[in-house]
Amino acid sequence: MNPFTQHPDSVGESYFAHLSQAIHYASLLALASAACLIHALMPFLFQSTGSKIISALANELSERAKLSEMNQN
């Protein structure tokens, strides 16, 4: 099987749908990382931004995992 499509197929996505989702997650993580770095230098800025982004991402991933599991059954 093609290594570029094996995993996306296993979660019910095309290669490009999976690529788009992965870029979305990477962008959110980069934003959270930047907010945390700025907060480390200037504690009065972005006091809860990083944790809010991570929490929202965790919820999004959890919901996607549930949908993927339902689609496999």
Side-chain angles (χ1 to χ4, degrees):
M1 183 168 245
N2 184 337
F4 289 97
T5 58
Q6 184 176 5
H7 173 65
D9 287 346
S10 75
V11 294
E13 294 178 336
S14 70
Y15 173 81
F16 290 105
H18 193 268
L19 174 69
S20 175
Q21 281 301 128
I23 290 171
H24 169 71
Y25 297 146
S27 299
L28 288 175
L29 290 169
L31 189 61
S33 179
C36 289
L37 180 60
I38 293 168
H39 174 72
L41 298 170
M42 294 176 261
F44 52 91
L45 295 176
F46 304 113
Q47 294 178 19
S48 60
T49 303
S51 59
K52 285 180 180 177
I53 292 170
I54 297 299
S55 180
L57 182 56
N59 289 336
E60 186 176 333
L61 286 168
S62 178
E63 289 301 314
R64 285 181 54 82
K66 289 177 189 174
L67 287 173
S68 178
E69 187 176 304
M70 285 176 28
N71 288 337
Q72 290 178 357
N73 292 333

